[in-house]
Amino acid sequence: MSSEEKSTWIMGVVAIGGYLSYLIIILGAGTPLPEVDYVPAMLWTIGGAIVVSIVLHIIIVGIFTPRAEAKKDQRDREIYATSERIGQSFLVVGGIAAMLLAMFELGYFWIANVLYLCFVLSAVLSCTTRIIAYRRGFQSW
């Protein structure tokens, strides 16, 4: 497994784990959702996901990956670019959804959560695309 593939697995697992942690905190608060103090939970889970991702990259990719596997080649760059384009579709969806929620004057809770969900879905879709490309082959165009 190349370092890029390992990095992709780390990013995908951390994105899902961070969002699930956020959902557990928010849904376990015991108050109606719009009244939950979501900002600290969101910031801590995003920050925690970033820190965990960095630490896992240092440990798994930095220490346990031989130098020969750590180099990116043309295929890695093409897979990365294609998966990012596919994953960014959810960023557009999230932006439009947040704009519509703001137009209908819904609370900040819903707007922030739609954006966070779409960021996570974007990361997961991008990682899934990359993993499929590494596992099943990639046809550059």
Side-chain angles (χ1 to χ4, degrees), residues 31 48 65-66 68 71 102 127 129-131 139:
T31 59
T65 301
K71 288 187 176 182
C127 290
T129 303
R130 245 180 276 169
I131 290 168
Q139 176 65 42

Side-chain angles (χ1 to χ4, degrees), residues 58-128:
I58 290 170
I59 294 171
I60 295 172
V61 177
I63 296 173
F64 294 111
T65 301
R67 283 201 174 272
E69 292 179 15
K71 288 187 176 182
K72 288 184 184 178
D73 58 8
Q74 182 64 27
R75 180 177 173 257
D76 290 329
R77 286 188 279 276
E78 288 178 9
I79 287 173
Y80 180 80
T82 301
S83 68
E84 286 299 308
R85 281 193 296 269
I86 292 171
Q88 288 176 357
S89 62
F90 270 104
L91 295 180
V92 173
V93 170
I96 291 171
M99 184 176 64
L100 289 173
L101 292 174
M103 286 178 178
F104 289 109
E105 299 180 357
L106 292 176
Y108 294 128
F109 174 85
W110 298 111
I111 295 170
N113 278 283
V114 161
L115 286 173
Y116 186 29
L117 175 64
C118 287
F119 279 125
V120 170
L121 290 176
S122 171
V124 170
L125 181 61
S126 177
C127 290
T128 303

Side-chain angles (χ1 to χ4, degrees), residues 12 16 23 25 36-37 45 54 68 77 92 94 97 106 123 130 137-138:
I16 292 170
L23 286 180
I25 293 169
V36 173
D37 189 18
T45 54
I54 290 171
R77 286 188 279 276
V92 173
L106 292 176
R130 245 180 276 169
F138 178 72

